[in-house]
Amino acid sequence: MLFTSELLDEMNVLVKFTLSTDMAGIKVRSDADPVLVAATERLYEKKLVTAKDGGYLTSIGRDAVEHAKEALRILRSEP
């Protein structure tokens, strides 16, 4: 299975979340890049975030962010 452009867009939204606190969310404005808006809405439909425009991470969303950030770290060969 390959990464589609839609999955990459979703991953790019996910890595914008901070994991240092559960009290920090994101808000994607309706006039933002349509690709970003659509990716965020898909994350909501997948129950990874609490609102269509971002909101907070759900438990599974937090897991997804942890894995996405770890994959980025590995692929960038950061120590």
Side-chain angles (χ1 to χ4, degrees), residues 29-47:
R29 294 172 38 121
S30 60
D31 61 348
D33 181 343
V35 169
L36 183 64
V37 172
T40 306
E41 289 176 357
R42 288 192 304 274
L43 292 173
Y44 174 71
E45 291 167 4
K46 294 175 181 182
K47 300 186 184 334

Side-chain angles (χ1 to χ4, degrees), residues 43-69:
L43 292 173
Y44 174 71
E45 291 167 4
K46 294 175 181 182
K47 300 186 184 334
L48 297 176
V49 297
T50 61
K52 284 183 81 169
D53 63 354
Y56 299 97
L57 291 169
T58 62
S59 177
I60 190 79
R62 186 173 179 78
D63 290 344
V65 171
E66 289 172 356
H67 291 293
K69 287 188 176 196

